[in-house]
Amino acid sequence: MVSLNNLQLTDLDNHRIAYLETIFSIANGHFGIRASDPVAPSSTSGTLVNGFYESSPITYGERAVGYAENHQTIVNLPDLRKIKVSDSDGALFAKSELLTSNLDFQTGILSQSYKLTNPTGKNITLTFDSIVDQADQKAGALKYEFTAGTYNGQITIGKSLAFNATVTESDDPRKARQITSLDITTTVDSNDQKELLIETQNSKLAVAMRLKALDGTLLEQSFDLAKGPAVARYLVCVSDFANELTPPTADLKDVTFEQVIADSKNYWQTIWNSSQIEIDGDDRLTQAIRYNLFQLNQSAGRDGKTNISAKGLSGTGYEGHYFWDTEMYLMPYFTYSTPMIAKKLLDFRYNTLDIAKQQAKTLGVSEGALFPWRTINGEEASAYYPAGTAQYHIDGDIAYAANRYYEATNDRDWLVEKGYELILETARFWSHFGHFHEVDGKNRFEFYGVTGPNEYTVMVDNNYYTNRIAKHNLHLAVRLAKIVSEVDPNKLKELHVTDEELEKFENIADVIYLPYNQQHQVNAQDDSFFNKPIWPFKTTKKDQYPLLLHFHPLTIYRYQVAKQADTILAEFLFPQDVGKDQLQREYDYYESITTHDSSLSRSVFSMIAARLHDSKQAYDYFMTTAKMDLVDLQGNTEDGLHLSNLGGSWLALTAGFAGMTFEEGKLHLINNLPQQWKALKFRIRLQDNLFAIELTKNDIDVKLLEGTSANVMIDGKWREITRTHNDQKILN
Ligand code: BGC
């Protein structure tokens, strides 16, 4: 029997330690603890604080003007779970075997049991609960319970805050570099409490970590197991990080063990109230999707100062950087379930807008903002601009997400206060960064030297995805200006927006060039894509994927080959653009040259296949995407979870199988339920309404759990849903 609301060790085939550290990691948007073995040394264990990074100068063989200056690397902090256990001779129980592991999605508690063995082969059992507070995000709690096994004498336990064993450097560009420039000061050192102040030398940030033993236990304490089990409970605190001028302290005064648990339970109850999801007919899949949503929630920064790293707080892969993944893969879920989090993620962009304006200037643009391709602090951290800064579609992605949040919530105050400025400054960037080009007597607006989402083709002209999202961005700046001035008549003036500027945006947007390939009758990924030969797939061996780890970039760039969805991602975002026949042609063509070397790929193919009613393809792609980390499909889950894929799996279910789209604030659904499932149930928040949706073979049932009434378009027909009777009147 599969349990739907928790993940157990027996659910997994891969039991490698570093992999399990990621899979069972726990976090609360502020800090995350990898689920390390509590006694054995590990080079990958540790604690990650969202946004706490060290910087170091990027060394270029050949430098050019405006290149990113500094690496930003998330700091792996002491592993809070580690404990030393020794026997009456002082010998360590250093060998351990994980017996059980249970991550409970409803309470947030990770419960595990281990067999610990000393050098003479005698063992004891450890039952170990770890939990992070979801209300007071600085706090966490740990409970260790030791029972006698073949050993039943005295044990001494010692708890400290120690950095993990040294890590070996790797050539894999997706892994983080090592940091050696930390200043560590012990600020509290008593029998029952220890606090470290950890300061970075270059980024000048500081965080404090504290451990506190409870119930009169000391940090080093002996117990006699012959008298019964020994229980040791600790509170942990990971402060907010601050700059060096105001060193933070880790205050545990108002925290209790019970409160940490209660806060966590309450939080998860609220989350599941708006995120409940079930696939009737496949319990394992339900479990996997709930796991994905659980991890998404654990990873999201909720303070407007931090975001969601590509690996969440589960690992140091991609150095803890935030990418476009947030806006295009993760925010849909938050926008339609916990919009407050979506708003905070956008606030992060707003709070870094000044840096983005500076970056636009670096790129030679006098007005507007260019957001970084990868970052923690708002500055560009990509040392390889062809697959970094050249992906300036990030601007359009942010504008798209800001509008999506606004339309889903009708939050006009936020739009006026922050959202519009994001859309305006990105629109300004587009208007200056592109060029008019006259072809056959007609002016078109084009973008040169660009890299689209498919990183296997770089620095080309007119990437379809980029041009399409730029067009949308400019149109949004015009359309939303009206709403902004209705709410606050002075706002546009304050932002120096003139009628002429809006007219300019409109004129540009109308003539942005969207490349089309006549031969294949498809939207073309870019101007030169179809001139290139197709990648030699037949002679590429299975173990040569992902291509980026086996071929020189210049080999890859000279072929038609895609790391991930690109043009068809644009079709997903703008469903009105192409008819079914063209969509089918594009799907077939681009699928044949896509390797899915990026974890961001499969979910998009699943959604488009569902839109094309190709149930088999949609289902097959979905099944690999849904369990990607649980089966370690990409082989690198030990570096951290593939967050975008977790978000992508939710998108594939809702926007793919349930055909969910939104038009003028109204929910539209289309039944694409695969035959393998009896039903798909999920919830969606839209403005004041919380919908419970159930797709079965022949129908889509929609109920309102919050709100009074709503019109929903179901399989092409409007239905009026009212809450009191939950009756659904067919309107046409
Ligand atoms: C993908 C990017 C993505 C990044 C972080 C890369 O492999 O190509 O689109 O933003 O991973 O997830």
Side-chain angles (χ1 to χ4, degrees):
M1 261 287 281
V2 185
S3 168
L4 305 184
N5 293 318
N6 46 20
L7 181 77
Q8 308 203 14
L9 188 61
T10 44
D11 296 321
L12 303 165
D13 291 335
N14 183 349
H15 285 189
R16 279 202 345 270
I17 289 177
Y19 170 77
L20 294 177
E21 283 179 2
T22 298
I23 287 290
F24 288 112
S25 59
I26 53 169
N28 60 11
H30 169 52
F31 76 103
I33 310 177
R34 280 174 64 84
S36 61
D37 183 315
V39 298
S42 154
S43 61
T44 49
S45 71
T47 303
L48 298 170
V49 173
N50 197 355
F52 186 69
Y53 71 96
E54 172 59 316
S55 59
S56 56
I58 301 176
T59 319
Y60 292 98
E62 288 177 50
R63 177 181 267 284
V65 174
Y67 274 16
E69 297 284 339
N70 291 306
H71 292 292
Q72 300 161 33
T73 307
I74 195 161
V75 180
N76 199 11
L77 295 165
D79 179 359
L80 294 165
R81 290 163 50 96
K82 281 280 179 286
I83 194 159
K84 272 192 178 147
V85 190
S86 47
D87 61 21
S88 52
D89 296 329
L92 286 176
F93 285 90
K95 225 178 109 198
S96 80
E97 183 192 342
L98 180 60
L99 304 173
T100 60
S101 193
N102 182 12
L103 183 57
D104 188 327
F105 314 149
Q106 282 181 319
T107 62
I109 300 176
L110 173 64
S111 309
Q112 297 171 297
S113 64
Y114 292 84
K115 184 163 105 179
L116 308 183
T117 311
N118 70 3
T120 57
K122 294 268 176 5
N123 63 60
I124 59 176
T125 304
L126 163 63
T127 352
F128 180 21
D129 288 350
S130 340
I131 184 157
V132 285
D133 198 319
Q134 299 288 346
D136 175 355
Q137 289 170 271
K138 294 192 275 275
L142 304 167
K143 180 181 169 206
Y144 302 79
E145 181 167 345
F146 301 92
T147 41
T150 52
Y151 178 88
N152 74 346
Q154 181 181 295
I155 59 163
T156 302
I157 59 176
K159 191 101 182 96
S160 63
L161 290 167
F163 280 84
N164 67 17
T166 342
V167 189
T168 43
E169 292 282 349
S170 158
D171 287 340
D172 187 337
R174 301 166 300 182
K175 286 188 192 283
R177 276 155 320 97
Q178 298 315 309
I179 297 167
T180 48
S181 54
L182 298 177
D183 289 331
I184 299 148
T185 323
T186 304
T187 41
V188 175
D189 196 3
S190 67
N191 287 340
D192 65 346
Q193 291 200 49
K194 194 169 192 88
E195 182 177 312
L196 294 184
L197 178 67
I198 299 151
E199 293 165 290
T200 57
Q201 288 172 6
N202 306 320
S203 62
K204 306 283 182 207
L205 297 174
V207 73
M209 291 178 88
R210 188 185 284 238
L211 250 184
K212 180 179 174 188
L214 299 177
D215 316 319
T217 314
L218 306 178
L219 289 177
E220 184 156 328
Q221 173 99 26
S222 297
F223 297 90
D224 188 356
L225 293 186
K227 293 190 181 146
V231 178
R233 300 196 308 164
Y234 305 88
L235 284 174
V236 296
C237 180
V238 182
S239 76
D240 283 336
F241 58 85
N243 61 34
E244 54 175 0
L245 300 173
T246 47
T249 55
D251 182 10
L252 275 167
K253 274 201 266 330
D254 302 325
V255 185
T256 64
F257 198 96
E258 292 66 30
Q259 193 59 46
V260 173
I261 293 178
D263 285 350
S264 183
K265 284 184 178 165
N266 286 340
Y267 185 79
W268 288 111
Q269 207 174 359
T270 315
I271 292 297
W272 291 119
N273 180 47
S274 52
S275 301
Q276 198 54 263
I277 197 153
E278 188 176 340
I279 294 135
D280 193 349
D282 193 336
D283 287 353
R284 269 217 181 277
L285 195 54
T286 301
Q287 178 199 44
I289 293 298
R290 290 186 185 178
Y291 172 81
N292 292 356
L293 299 189
F294 178 80
Q295 286 292 5
L296 276 181
N297 279 288
Q298 293 208 110
S299 309
R302 303 177 207 156
D303 56 5
K305 289 183 274 176
T306 55
N307 205 273
I308 310 181
S309 134
K311 302 284 180 187
L313 294 167
S314 68
T316 56
Y318 282 123
E319 312 214 55
H321 289 173
Y322 315 136
F323 292 78
W324 73 309
D325 305 31
T326 299
E327 279 76 16
M328 301 324 273
Y329 289 80
L330 310 176
M331 273 187 50
Y333 162 68
F334 290 110
T335 304
Y336 299 115
S337 62
T338 323
M340 180 53 92
I341 294 182
K343 175 156 100 172
K344 291 291 174 192
L345 295 169
L346 287 163
D347 283 354
F348 167 82
R349 297 295 190 185
Y350 183 79
N351 291 333
T352 54
L353 185 57
D354 284 344
I355 305 176
K357 284 185 184 172
Q358 193 49 51
Q359 176 71 351
K361 293 206 169 60
T362 304
L363 272 279
V365 167
S366 56
E367 269 191 310
L370 174 59
F371 282 91
W373 175 243
R374 51 189 297 172
T375 192
I376 295 180
N377 67 5
E379 287 166 18
E380 179 60 88
S382 170
Y384 185 59
Y385 85 90
T389 311
Q391 291 200 56
Y392 42 84
H393 62 81
I394 178 79
D395 264 18
D397 304 332
I398 292 171
Y400 189 98
N403 179 57
R404 178 174 47 208
Y405 167 77
Y406 164 67
E407 288 193 342
T409 57
N410 220 358
D411 186 348
R412 288 180 159 217
D413 291 344
W414 181 83
L415 180 71
V416 172
E417 203 191 321
K418 297 176 180 169
Y420 186 69
E421 211 175 327
L422 282 175
I423 292 167
L424 173 71
E425 294 298 348
T426 45
R428 281 180 173 154
F429 175 81
W430 293 117
S431 74
H432 288 277
F433 207 57
H435 299 270
F436 282 106
H437 176 201
E438 204 184 300
V439 180
D440 298 335
K442 278 195 192 144
N443 240 346
R444 7 197 256 209
F445 200 77
E446 306 191 346
F447 294 95
Y448 310 132
V450 59
T451 300
N454 165 24
E455 295 180 349
Y456 283 172
T457 302
V458 304
M459 300 298 296
V460 287
D461 294 339
N462 292 314
N463 169 257
Y464 183 92
Y465 176 91
T466 308
N467 288 18
R468 185 62 186 88
I469 209 144
K471 192 180 178 78
H472 178 67
N473 196 158
L474 286 153
H475 275 313
L476 281 178
V478 178
R479 178 150 51 85
L480 295 175
K482 293 197 189 76
I483 295 166
V484 170
S485 52
E486 265 167 42
V487 181
D488 178 353
N490 294 322
K491 189 72 193 183
L492 293 183
K493 213 160 142 208
E494 219 176 87
L495 297 171
H496 310 292
V497 182
T498 59
D499 288 347
E500 292 73 51
E501 185 174 36
L502 294 178
E503 206 178 309
K504 182 174 97 180
F505 286 170
E506 182 111 58
N507 291 340
I508 292 175
D510 286 347
V511 298
I512 283 186
Y513 173 59
L514 298 174
Y516 183 79
N517 180 278
Q518 286 294 349
Q519 188 196 347
H520 297 284
Q521 309 246 309
V522 294
N523 286 330
Q525 190 188 283
D526 57 70
D527 279 357
S528 58
F529 195 65
F530 286 87
N531 301 341
K532 296 173 183 165
I534 290 178
W535 177 265
F537 289 102
K538 281 207 179 96
T539 52
T540 310
K541 297 192 198 82
K542 268 207 175 110
D543 61 6
Q544 289 180 305
Y545 294 95
L547 300 181
L548 69 116
L549 294 187
H550 302 276
F551 297 91
H552 191 291
L554 206 45
T555 306
I556 300 175
Y557 299 164
R558 288 162 39 246
Y559 288 91
Q560 281 188 54
V561 57
K563 184 181 180 191
Q564 63 206 87
D566 193 301
T567 309
I568 67 155
L569 179 60
E571 309 305 8
F572 167 69
L573 298 179
F574 303 103
Q576 66 284 9
D577 284 5
V578 296
K580 194 167 176 266
D581 290 348
Q582 184 175 332
L583 188 63
Q584 184 72 59
R585 286 195 296 276
E586 289 188 16
Y587 177 89
D588 291 343
Y589 193 86
Y590 288 111
E591 201 218 5
S592 71
I593 48 116
T594 301
T595 60
H596 310 293
D597 284 351
S598 162
S599 64
L600 278 63
S601 194
R602 290 182 177 83
S603 56
V604 182
F605 280 90
S606 172
M607 286 186 286
I608 298 290
R611 197 174 279 171
L612 290 165
H613 305 297
D614 182 342
S615 173
K616 183 178 175 332
Q617 290 268 315
Y619 179 80
D620 289 351
Y621 271 120
F622 177 73
M623 292 308 278
T624 42
T625 197
K627 296 182 188 166
M628 181 176 285
D629 286 308
L630 295 176
V631 300
D632 200 7
L633 183 74
Q634 307 286 108
N636 64 350
T637 293
E638 64 179 50
D639 298 336
L641 297 164
H642 296 84
L643 261 285
S644 294
N645 179 67
L646 305 185
S649 67
W650 182 86
L651 262 174
L653 278 176
T654 53
F657 296 118
M660 181 178 79
T661 52
F662 301 91
E663 276 172 48
E664 291 167 10
K666 301 265 186 306
L667 174 64
H668 290 226
L669 298 164
I670 294 173
N671 196 339
N672 296 317
L673 189 77
Q675 53 159 14
Q676 286 87 343
W677 304 340
K678 289 200 201 87
L680 164 63
K681 303 174 198 170
F682 62 97
R683 292 181 183 185
I684 288 295
R685 205 174 263 295
L686 186 64
Q687 289 149 19
D688 297 330
N689 298 324
L690 177 62
F691 295 101
I693 296 159
E694 180 171 351
L695 268 76
T696 45
K697 289 224 157 29
N698 304 317
D699 193 24
I700 300 182
D701 178 65
V702 181
K703 290 190 170 51
L704 264 181
L705 304 178
E706 287 172 28
T708 44
S709 74
N711 288 339
V712 179
M713 174 76 91
I714 296 174
D715 284 325
K717 291 191 167 38
W718 285 110
R719 262 189 235 174
E720 186 188 340
I721 320 287
T722 46
R723 182 144 76 105
T724 24
H725 311 294
N726 281 326
D727 50 18
Q728 303 180 7
K729 230 178 355 181
I730 310 279
L731 295 182
N732 60 10

